[in-house]
Amino acid sequence: IKKLGYKNTIKDVSALDRDILNFKNGKMPSKSKLCDFVTKTMTSKLLEKLMFKIGFNLYNYKSNNCLIKIANFDSTPIEASRYDKYAKYNIHYKCKMYKSHILMFGEIPLYMKFTNGTTNDKYIMLEFFEKIKSLNFKFHEMNLDGAYDGLYIYAYIWSIFGAKPNISLRKDAVFNYKADIKSILVTIFVVLLVIATLVITNILIR
């Protein structure tokens, strides 16, 4: 992707792609116009709306043609240049980096959030899900690695998506004897109470 560039992107667009994109007379814009669109017109909010729309359409198509609905959520390290003054050093990966948090439906990516390299995966997941829950995504199961292991994560996935969370255990994981049905239900209640408070607060602010 890094080597593709605007010039080669224009060349790789087929006649069918031009028809689907509804370009007048089948003519593609110049590489300079494409560059201006990406760097000036394509704001972060517009990019997020575009991502939502594409992800939602892919989800609807896939969910209508798939019996087993399994979602996957994970973060991927993106190594940065050592001269990048904005990238932060991650002690675990031992490099300056960023993170890409991605929700997958099967093999299809639905939504991505780009953050700095030291972002806590658990907290960003909750913020992430607050945005995508409005799209009414429904999964039977959700796979996550040990970085997301936590009682409130289980409760959140159960209460918001009605899905079974499959979270890998950390190597140093310890069984929590307090994790009985009562404590799980209490945690779910607290999660729902927090969400209701946020919704009411947003309504009052507007």
Side-chain angles (χ1 to χ4, degrees):
I1 294 173
K2 290 181 179 178
K3 295 178 180 178
L4 186 60
Y6 296 113
K7 183 178 180 180
N8 290 330
T9 299
I10 297 296
K11 287 183 178 179
D12 286 345
V13 177
S14 66
L16 178 60
D17 292 329
R18 290 196 291 270
D19 290 338
I20 293 173
L21 293 170
N22 199 27
F23 284 116
K24 292 181 179 179
N25 301 321
K27 291 183 179 180
M28 283 291 293
S30 64
K31 62 180 182 180
S32 59
K33 285 185 178 180
L34 179 60
C35 177
D36 285 340
F37 175 77
V38 172
T39 57
K40 297 177 183 178
T41 308
M42 184 64 78
T43 61
S44 58
K45 288 186 178 180
L46 182 59
L47 181 60
E48 186 174 271
K49 286 182 179 179
L50 182 63
M51 199 186 324
F52 269 139
K53 187 172 183 178
I54 294 173
F56 187 66
N57 288 337
L58 286 171
Y59 166 79
N60 284 335
Y61 172 78
K62 186 68 176 179
S63 61
N64 291 331
N65 295 277
C66 179
L67 295 176
I68 302 175
K69 302 177 181 180
I70 299 177
N72 301 283
F73 185 82
D74 199 7
S75 65
T76 301
I78 303 173
E79 187 173 355
S81 167
R82 59 180 178 174
Y83 302 109
D84 189 336
K85 64 180 181 180
Y86 301 105
K88 294 185 178 182
Y89 185 82
N90 187 295
I91 297 175
H92 177 73
Y93 290 101
K94 298 179 180 179
C95 67
K96 295 180 74 173
M97 56 174 275
Y98 298 95
K99 281 186 178 182
S100 175
H101 307 265
I102 306 173
L103 174 67
M104 307 277 290
F105 182 65
E107 73 282 4
I108 297 176
L110 295 183
Y111 184 71
M112 185 274 291
K113 186 172 180 65
F114 184 80
T115 65
N116 68 59
T118 57
T119 303
N120 186 299
D121 289 347
K122 287 184 180 180
Y123 296 133
I124 205 68
M125 190 204 80
L126 295 177
E127 178 189 334
F128 187 100
F129 284 174
E130 277 297 307
K131 289 189 176 182
I132 66 169
K133 71 177 184 180
S134 61
L135 298 180
N136 200 30
F137 287 146
K138 296 295 182 183
F139 312 111
H140 293 161
E141 299 179 25
M142 183 172 287
N143 299 325
L144 306 101
D145 63 28
Y148 304 94
D149 188 19
L151 185 57
Y152 67 93
I153 300 293
Y154 282 90
Y156 192 95
I157 295 173
W158 269 327
S159 60
I160 300 301
F161 296 104
K164 176 186 175 184
N166 299 319
I167 304 178
S168 303
L169 296 176
R170 290 177 177 271
K171 292 180 180 179
D172 58 348
V174 178
F175 182 77
N176 186 351
Y177 290 94
K178 294 181 180 179
D180 54 15
I181 296 297
K182 183 179 178 180
S183 62
I184 291 173
L185 291 174
V186 169
T187 305
I188 292 175
F189 174 76
V190 171
V191 169
L192 292 173
L193 185 62
V194 170
I195 293 170
T197 304
L198 290 172
V199 171
I200 294 171
T201 304
N202 288 331
I203 292 172
L204 292 174
I205 291 173
R206 291 177 184 177

